[in-house]
Amino acid sequence: MSVEIQQSELRNENAAVMRRVAAGESFIVTVNGRPVADVVPHRRESSRRRFVPVADLIEAFSDPAPPNPARWRADLAAANDSFGPDDMRDPFGRDGI
């Protein structure tokens, strides 16, 4: 759980706040009562892999789903229904492009 502190407190008590962060504490910094930043301990290691072995890539891409043109057209129509059709006009006002 994060402790809420004012920006002025962070400015005036920077060393003490940084010691608490190094010890594992987190802070939400506010300006005029509005949260503007999180001060959290640095994480050295990520739980995510940094690389993907080639064998995993080969397996993932070895059997792609066959293309389905009808599904693709349906997806485009649904997008047009939601967002409207694409505007294919030249933004610079030239004709024929």
Side-chain angles (χ1 to χ4, degrees):
M1 183 167 163
S2 297
V3 175
E4 200 168 285
I5 61 172
Q6 296 175 0
Q7 180 267 336
S8 58
E9 183 179 349
L10 176 62
R11 180 188 63 229
N12 295 336
E13 303 294 329
N14 185 36
V17 170
M18 289 300 117
R19 280 193 293 274
R20 290 172 65 184
V21 169
E25 213 170 328
S26 298
F27 294 89
I28 299 170
V29 182
T30 63
V31 174
N32 296 326
R34 195 183 82 227
V36 295
D38 296 321
V39 180
V40 297
H42 177 68
R43 292 187 321 201
R44 294 208 181 270
E45 289 297 320
S46 173
S47 61
R48 299 174 65 187
R49 288 195 295 195
R50 294 177 186 247
F51 67 94
V52 177
V54 173
D56 290 355
L57 284 174
I58 291 171
E59 181 182 341
F61 292 107
S62 64
D63 190 22
N68 184 340
R71 176 69 185 177
W72 182 67
R73 280 192 224 80
D75 287 346
L76 287 178
N80 283 342
D81 290 343
S82 297
F83 303 110
D86 291 333
D87 184 10
M88 300 302 287
R89 291 178 295 144
D90 183 358
F92 301 103
R94 297 181 302 222
D95 293 331
I97 295 180

